[in-house]
Each structure stands twice: as C-alpha cells, then as structure tokens.
Amino acid sequence: MQKIAVQVDDLTVAYNYKPVLWDIDLEIPEGVLMAIVGPNGAGKSTLIKSILGILKPIAGSISIYGKPYEKQRSLVAYVPQKGSVDWDFPTTALDVVMMGTYGSLGWVKRPGQKEKKAALEALEQVGMLPFKNRQISQLSGGQQQRIFLARALVQDASIYFMDEPFQGVDATTEIAIINILKALRKANKTVVVVHHDLQTVPEYFDWVTFLNVKKIATGPVKDIFNDDNLTKTYGINYKVSIQK
Amino acid sequence: MLGSFAVLRKQSLLGDAISHAALPGIAIAFLLTGTKDSNILLLGALGSGLIGTFWIRGIINKTHLKSDTALGLILSIFFGFGMLLLTFIQKQPNANQAGLDKYLFGQAATLVESDVWLMALITGLCLLVLVLFWKEFKILLFDKDYANTLGFNTKTIDILITSFIVLAIVLGLQTVGVVLMSAMLLAPAAAARQWTNKLGTMVFLAAIFGAFSGVFGTAISATQNNLSTGPVIVIVASVFVMFSFIFSPNRGLLFRQIRFIKNRRDLELHKTLAFMYHIAKSHENISHPHTIKILNDFQGYTKSTLKKLVDKNYVTLQGNMWSLTTEGFDTAANLYNQQLKKDE
C-alpha cells in the first residue's frame, strides 16, 4: 500500500455566497504525477491554494503525511501561475530562484554561498543557467515559467504543487518541463499539476483528478481517464481519442 | 527610500492618502493639548495616519472596492475632516492657533534642532529594519502568495512596511506639508527605477535622489526671499524624475528612441544588401555591375544606405552602376543564417 502524501477532508471553499469547491475528499498517494483537470471556474487553482493555506476554506482539513500543513511546510513547494506576479519587478533570474531558499532560512537570516550554489544548480537543471543575471522582464514566457520551476526545485520538497505550468509555453519548454516532472516522480516525489490540455494527460501523467466544484473522480489515468468522466466533468458529450 | 516599496507595490497613492489622513491628527492633537510642540502634533499625525492606513486596508479586504477607490475615499474624508477642524481652531480665542496651516504646505524654517535629531533617529531605525528584513520585504513585494507558502507571515511583513511608510510620511510633513508629501515619497523612487533593474540599487538611488532634492531645494530656497522650501524640494525632485525619464540608458525615452532608429537603419542596410545579393546571385560573376535604377524598385533603399555599403567595402560604385564585392557577397550570404541563429 502506497503512503498518502496529501489528504483533503470535506473541503469547502466559497467566494462570497457561491461555493467554488464543495465537500472535496481527496487522497493523493506518494510518488504520483497527478493532473487536476476541469473546466474554467471549476476550482482547480482554488483547490491548490486552499491546500497551501493561501485561501481560507469554510470547512474541511488538510494533512500532509498525516500532519497539518502548517507543520509540514518544508515538505511542500509551490509554483504559482506565471501571471500572478509583476515581471517588471527589478530583480534577476538568479534572485528569483534564490527566493526558494528563503523558507528554510527563516526570518532575518540572509542567503549565503550554500543557497547560491543550490540556486545555480536548479537553474542548470531547467536549462536557464546562461540567463542567471538577466532581468526577469527580459525573459520569454517559457523562460519565466522555468525560473518559477527552478525556484520550487531549490526548496527540495517532497510534494510539488504547480498551477498551470504549461500555460503559454512553447513545445520545447513543455517537453523540458515535463521531463523534469518525470524525474521528480522517479525520485519518489509527489507532483500535482493543474492542467488544461486533455490530449496530453495520458502521455504526461499517471494519476488524474476530475474536478468541477465537486470532485468527479480521482485515480490512475489508465482506469478513470475515459469519456464517461470527461462528460461528467465538462458537461458536454466529450470524446477524446486516446491513443492507448 | 521607503517610497521604492510603495511604487513597487503599485500603491503609489498610499502616500498621498496617508499624508492627508495625518491632518486631522494634527488638529486634534492641538485641540487636546493646546500646544504647538511639533513632537506632540506629529504624534497625532502618526495616530490618524495609521488609522487611515488600516481603514484603507480594511476597505480593500472586506469590500469589493478597488484600492484606488478606498484610497480616494479615505483621503478626502480625512482631509475634509482635518480642514473642518482647522477652520474651527481658527475661530477659537486662542492666540496659539496661528501656524497650524504650515502643515498644509510645510515650512522647513520651523524645524529646530531636536526635530532634526528625531528625523535622523527615525531614518536610522528605518535603515536598520530595511537591512534586517530585506529578504522578507523583497519576497512579499514580488510574490505574496509564494511567501505565504514558505511560512512567512505576510500580514506581519505588510504591516511592518506600511507602518514605516506612515512614519516616514509623518516626519516629512513638517518640511514638505500634507499636500506635497506624496511627491517626496514617490519622485525619488520613480526616478531611481529608471536607472536600475536591481531592487537594492533602486532603494539606494532613491535615497540619494531624495537627499539631494532635499539639500538642493533648501539651498535654492535659501538664496531667494519668499521662496518656501517644501515646494522647491518637490520641484527639484521632479526635475530628477524628468531627467531620468528622458536620459536613463535602458528605460529612458531618448536612448530608446536612438536605439529604435539605429536598429531600423541597420535593418534597412541589411535588407538592401540582401536585395543586391539576390540580384548578384543570378549572375556567374558576383561582381557583375548593375544599374542603380534597379534598387529604386526596392522599398527602403536610400542614397545614404548605398553610401554606407560603399563605406563598409561591401559595394563598389562606378558611375551609376554598382557591383557587390566578394566581402559584401559573403556578408549577405551569412546575413540570413545569422538572423536565424539569433532567433534561437
């Protein structure tokens, strides 16, 4: 039996009166590469943000390896949506990746040589080392996404949450990113990705959660990624031609 | 210095709101104590400035109003209330009343030695906090949600920054006054942003610009009679901003325009050369002369481009005939490949 990395119980989140997530129960086993799919407004980002404590749920509890999230922060890394920050901010690529080390440093203490080395290694991993001193506004969308990924890698976490890492990146970057994710899975890390491109789900992921305010289904891609669940999630008679 | 953070948070108007919000505090402090001791009045300003700031935060968090609406609302309410109290004070039979209006536009001449010491003390404190929490400030400004997941209490950092902005503003009130204070906060930061892409350098430059405008402004107003210091300081600061907007090497308007023109010239040159290359390619002898008239069919051709090509030894001219040199031919052949490499 696999260990459970993330457990979500009875999670309900609402903006104003409208529930965005309704009574979600979810178990994510250790070592899976999981996609969260669902239509716009289904609460995919909200689910991630609630697990990470960025949003306050109305009800429900989250546990990471059996303990509350607040005690397990160091095990969790987050890659936000690229559009969530101001890329004109006066800082360099290396500097952004260094931010990944701030958590383990804690208050006041400054990053030193050790942290810089870790950041450079992460940059190397995502193929961005030549751009380390580039001002972040002068990076392309795909490069910015890689920087965000590198920042999460620096945290050296066990569980990675990524909010649409493939949004607006070209095919080369997409392949580069997915290769890194697969490497993470090989190292028995758990990776949870909000994903939009249904066609690539069977190719990239081994675990999937269908979400549309309520949880529709969750499990191995080969068992549950079918027209029935897609139709239930997206509401229309959805047919994918899955090459198995 | 602290203005950098306000600018980067896109809360530039916060300074304006806070300084206006400080006015009723000054008036109330006067009404309660009856003294014009600047320390007590500034304490009042600090109080109402903080109240105003946290109301603004409250409005933004609890309602659907946008931050500019909240800022505008608090600014006008507090300023209106402050003016009301000022007129009320003026009607009072207290000889001490005159001089409160100096806080509207500021009057550096009223500063005494103890005020200066207080300012130095607070500035030192600001610096200390800035150095200590540099990392925390930076990550909050860049990516608040991410800072949260790293385990930083972003609310605490936020309150810390905001409090120090309020403190800085209240201190400046006596010099520059309620109305112009926000310019003092923002102008150096806006100017500094033009010169650098590093947060550290930006904050440092902003501090220098701020200090210089202070010194220059005071010096200018001292040489002239009837020239109040505050507005002169602000004008000097805005000269810095104007200068930076135009002349900064990377983001400045002037250099951007120059770069644009230069790039366009280079491209025209390249395109003309490429056009010549295509004609020359169809002949066995690459230096076979052609008439200049052919070039007129090509858009972007000018006499000056042709002259430049000759200068670069890519083309030789004989009467109204031109011919490519071997060098020119090779360059043109490589041009396209180079362009491809650059795009990768």
Side-chain angles (χ1 to χ4, degrees):
Chain A
M1 185 62 200
Q2 271 175 305
K3 268 200 274 183
I4 300 299
V6 182
Q7 176 140 13
V8 179
D9 288 314
D10 305 327
L11 182 73
T12 298
V13 182
Y15 297 135
N16 303 319
Y17 303 106
K18 199 169 165 259
V20 185
L21 289 175
W22 187 257
D23 203 14
I24 306 282
D25 290 306
L26 182 64
E27 282 180 353
I28 307 175
E30 185 181 48
V32 298
L33 183 45
M34 184 179 97
I36 302 178
V37 297
N40 292 333
K44 303 184 295 292
S45 299
T46 309
L47 176 59
I48 286 193
K49 285 185 180 169
S50 314
I51 293 175
L52 293 167
I54 297 168
L55 291 175
K56 280 224 160 55
I58 287 176
S61 66
I62 313 289
S63 66
I64 308 284
Y65 285 114
K67 286 186 196 156
Y69 167 71
E70 285 74 22
K71 293 188 176 151
Q72 304 278 56
R73 277 186 205 277
S74 59
L75 298 177
V76 180
Y78 173 48
V79 179
Q81 275 190 30
K82 200 173 61 175
S84 64
V85 303
D86 172 19
W87 287 95
D88 201 31
F89 193 79
T91 189
T92 60
L94 178 62
D95 227 22
V96 173
V97 177
M98 294 272 268
M99 288 179 186
T101 66
Y102 287 7
S104 58
L105 285 168
W107 288 83
V108 179
K109 225 177 131 198
R110 281 160 172 263
Q113 282 307 316
K114 193 180 120 214
E115 283 74 21
K116 192 173 175 190
K117 204 174 143 242
L120 288 174
E121 274 167 18
L123 274 170
E124 168 104 73
Q125 228 177 323
V126 298
M128 288 292 294
L129 199 53
F131 301 96
K132 63 178 165 134
N133 291 324
R134 196 66 86 78
Q135 210 275 319
I136 52 171
S137 65
Q138 284 156 13
L139 297 170
S140 72
Q143 290 171 331
Q144 292 174 343
Q145 191 65 60
R146 290 194 212 192
I147 293 296
F148 261 11
L149 185 59
R151 184 176 71 172
L153 290 176
V154 164
Q155 289 180 254
D156 196 23
S158 306
I159 308 169
Y160 292 81
F161 289 96
M162 308 192 181
D163 205 342
E164 300 197 21
F166 301 115
Q167 195 185 39
V169 305
D170 62 15
T172 330
T173 308
E174 182 158 333
I175 291 166
I177 292 176
I178 197 67
N179 282 338
I180 291 168
L181 300 193
K182 284 179 174 169
L184 285 173
R185 180 182 52 188
K186 236 182 193 164
N188 207 30
K189 314 272 188 186
T190 310
V191 183
V192 179
V193 177
V194 170
H195 196 56
H196 257 303
D197 184 7
L198 293 171
Q199 302 293 336
T200 54
V201 169
E203 188 189 333
Y204 291 169
F205 301 95
D206 57 6
W207 211 263
V208 65
T209 294
F210 290 96
L211 189 72
N212 192 354
V213 184
K214 293 175 183 175
K215 186 189 75 178
I216 311 291
T218 184
V221 170
K222 59 179 185 329
D223 296 343
I224 67 157
F225 194 70
N226 52 37
D227 292 345
D228 186 33
N229 277 330
L230 283 168
T231 308
K232 270 191 211 156
T233 310
Y234 286 86
I236 47 167
N237 200 2
Y238 203 98
K239 291 261 186 288
V240 278
S241 48
I242 311 164
Q243 306 99 19
K244 285 198 174 169
Chain B
M1 193 168 65
L2 285 158
S4 305
F5 292 104
V7 169
L8 289 173
R9 293 193 71 187
K10 314 216 148 133
Q11 282 194 341
S12 305
L13 276 175
L14 185 67
D16 216 14
I18 296 172
S19 56
H20 283 78
L23 192 65
I26 294 172
I28 289 171
F30 176 76
L31 279 178
L32 288 180
T33 61
T35 63
K36 271 201 307 189
D37 178 27
S38 63
N39 287 343
I40 289 172
L41 295 187
L42 287 184
L43 216 58
L46 185 67
S48 69
L50 281 174
I51 292 172
T53 317
F54 290 107
W55 278 12
I56 291 170
R57 288 169 50 95
I59 291 177
I60 296 171
N61 289 338
K62 299 269 150 46
T63 71
H64 277 285
L65 294 176
K66 290 268 186 310
S67 62
D68 52 351
T69 319
L71 288 171
L73 206 63
I74 295 296
L75 184 150
S76 33
I77 290 174
F78 273 69
F79 190 60
F81 186 53
M83 288 305 282
L84 192 81
L85 288 176
L86 275 191
T87 42
F88 174 71
I89 290 169
Q90 259 155 25
K91 296 250 163 68
Q92 287 221 318
N94 184 339
N96 235 348
Q97 56 182 255
L100 271 191
D101 51 343
K102 80 176 185 195
Y103 285 98
L104 274 181
F105 294 105
Q107 211 167 349
T110 59
L111 289 174
V112 292
E113 203 187 326
S114 65
D115 295 332
V116 178
W117 281 116
L118 184 70
M119 279 186 191
L121 188 76
I122 303 283
T123 312
L125 193 65
C126 284
L127 269 177
L128 185 75
V129 170
L130 199 61
V131 169
L132 276 181
F133 297 106
W134 179 253
K135 177 175 97 217
E136 285 79 6
F137 284 174
K138 184 157 72 175
I139 195 162
L140 176 81
L141 290 179
F142 181 62
D143 196 343
K144 191 177 163 201
D145 283 352
Y146 184 70
N148 238 327
T149 68
L150 290 180
F152 291 106
N153 188 339
T154 46
K155 237 185 205 155
T156 314
I157 311 176
D158 198 19
I159 288 174
L160 201 63
I161 296 187
T162 314
S163 313
F164 271 92
I165 293 179
V166 175
L167 204 59
I169 288 173
V170 167
L171 269 185
L173 282 183
Q174 215 175 345
T175 326
V176 190
V178 165
V179 183
L180 293 174
M181 187 53 214
S182 74
M184 222 22 239
L185 191 70
L186 302 178
R193 180 71 187 90
Q194 293 292 315
W195 295 93
T196 176
N197 275 328
K198 282 210 159 134
L199 183 61
T201 326
M202 174 175 168
V203 173
F204 182 69
L205 275 179
I208 295 205
F209 285 156
F212 263 94
S213 359
V215 172
F216 275 133
T218 315
I220 293 171
S221 78
T223 56
Q224 220 77 32
N225 273 342
N226 301 326
L227 214 52
S228 48
T229 318
V232 177
I233 294 179
V234 169
I235 287 172
V236 173
S238 24
V239 168
F240 272 117
V241 175
M242 295 277 270
F243 183 81
S244 305
F245 277 162
I246 299 172
F247 294 106
S248 71
N250 272 321
R251 301 165 71 98
L253 293 174
L254 184 70
F255 284 93
R256 206 185 287 177
Q257 193 62 30
I258 289 175
R259 230 176 304 142
F260 178 71
I261 292 171
K262 192 182 165 296
N263 285 343
R264 203 168 56 183
R265 287 235 179 96
D266 281 355
L267 272 179
E268 271 172 7
L269 201 75
H270 286 166
K271 286 192 90 173
T272 314
L273 193 63
F275 182 69
M276 290 170 155
Y277 171 75
H278 278 293
I279 299 171
K281 219 167 53 172
S282 56
H283 294 268
E284 260 172 43
N285 177 9
I286 50 159
S287 295
H288 181 89
H290 302 271
T291 162
I292 291 180
K293 269 187 195 153
I294 309 180
L295 296 177
N296 289 338
D297 297 341
F298 176 68
Q299 244 186 351
Y301 158 76
T302 54
K303 274 189 181 143
S304 66
T305 24
L306 191 61
K307 195 166 166 295
K308 259 190 217 149
L309 286 170
V310 174
D311 288 343
K312 287 194 171 180
N313 235 348
Y314 291 162
V315 173
T316 50
L317 281 183
Q318 277 173 335
N320 44 8
M321 306 290 271
W322 61 267
S323 55
L324 270 179
T325 61
T326 347
E327 205 187 334
F329 187 80
D330 290 342
T331 317
N334 284 327
L335 211 56
Y336 189 61
N337 296 337
Q338 273 172 11
Q339 211 73 32
L340 274 185
K341 255 183 218 158
K342 256 188 219 163
D343 286 347
E344 266 173 16

